[in-house]
Amino acid sequence: MANLCAKYAPWAVDAILDNCGWNLSTEIFDKENFQLGTFRTIGFGKEIDFMRYRRDSRDNENFHLCVSDKTKWTSNSQSPNYFSRSRYEIRDLNEPSHLITQAKYPKPIFKCYHVKDDAVAPVGEKIKFYEQLKNLGFDVTLDIISDKSRVDGKFIKNIEHGMGMSMKLLVANNYEWIMDKIAKNQKPPYEPNIEFKTSQYLYKFSQKDNQVSLKCTKITD
């Protein structure tokens, strides 16, 4: 969510601290076998395979209970709530053309801790995201945790997704460092509005009186 806030309203975000944040590019639509987290998180994975793309499950020797989120999105292309490729594009943090647009605005500072063998949020997508940010002039730090020697039992408790990390310590351990960077990060002049084009829609985000608004317009031929 923090990364999306930085995309939709970059002028309102100074810095992002990320612990194993999940982001997948629109390229998942080109794969036959969707990464498990994709449609499980969106909520309509049950329409594709209710056992494989469940949100959660409870098991014992007698039954296997699969639970899914309730959502208005659907995989039915005839529905007005069809979650099309275009509707994923606006949520795609790795979309190159959108990152180029984002780079024209005040650039937030990005720092992320991510597990190398994260089974929930693939580290490869995070690496691609941070490489693109760096190439566009963003101040980024990606700390990939791959060795059990990093486990201290307080800040990092394991090398699984989330690392059992304390959010309080995440902020405390980075507070002075990130506040110093924010103070030195001079923001260029800007207008509080930004627009992104996808294959079907034009999304225009703007801010007035501390309220961020969205205008979505379908692109006509």
Side-chain angles (χ1 to χ4, degrees), residues 7-9 11 25 39-40 44 49 57 60 73-74 77 95 107 112 131 153-154 166 170 173 180 189 204:
K7 176 175 181 174
Y8 301 153
W11 56 84
S25 68
F39 292 101
R40 181 179 65 193
F44 60 79
D49 185 327
S57 66
N60 68 22
W73 292 118
T74 177
S77 61
E95 171 55 44
K107 295 181 176 66
C112 176
E131 284 178 347
K154 293 179 65 177
S166 161
L170 173 62
N173 289 353
D180 183 60
K204 295 184 179 181

Side-chain angles (χ1 to χ4, degrees), residues 108-148:
I109 298 156
F110 288 80
K111 182 170 184 179
C112 176
Y113 296 87
H114 208 108
V115 176
K116 180 180 179 181
D117 296 319
D118 198 315
V120 177
V123 71
E125 295 288 343
K126 182 59 64 63
I127 292 172
K128 181 167 64 176
F129 178 46
Y130 268 61
E131 284 178 347
Q132 289 193 87
L133 289 173
K134 184 177 180 179
N135 290 337
L136 290 168
F138 286 83
D139 184 334
V140 299
T141 303
L142 178 57
D143 188 353
I144 299 176
I145 313 299
S146 60
D147 196 313
K148 288 185 178 180

Side-chain angles (χ1 to χ4, degrees), residues 38-50:
T38 309
F39 292 101
R40 181 179 65 193
T41 304
I42 292 172
F44 60 79
K46 60 185 177 182
E47 297 180 7
I48 302 169
D49 185 327
F50 76 95

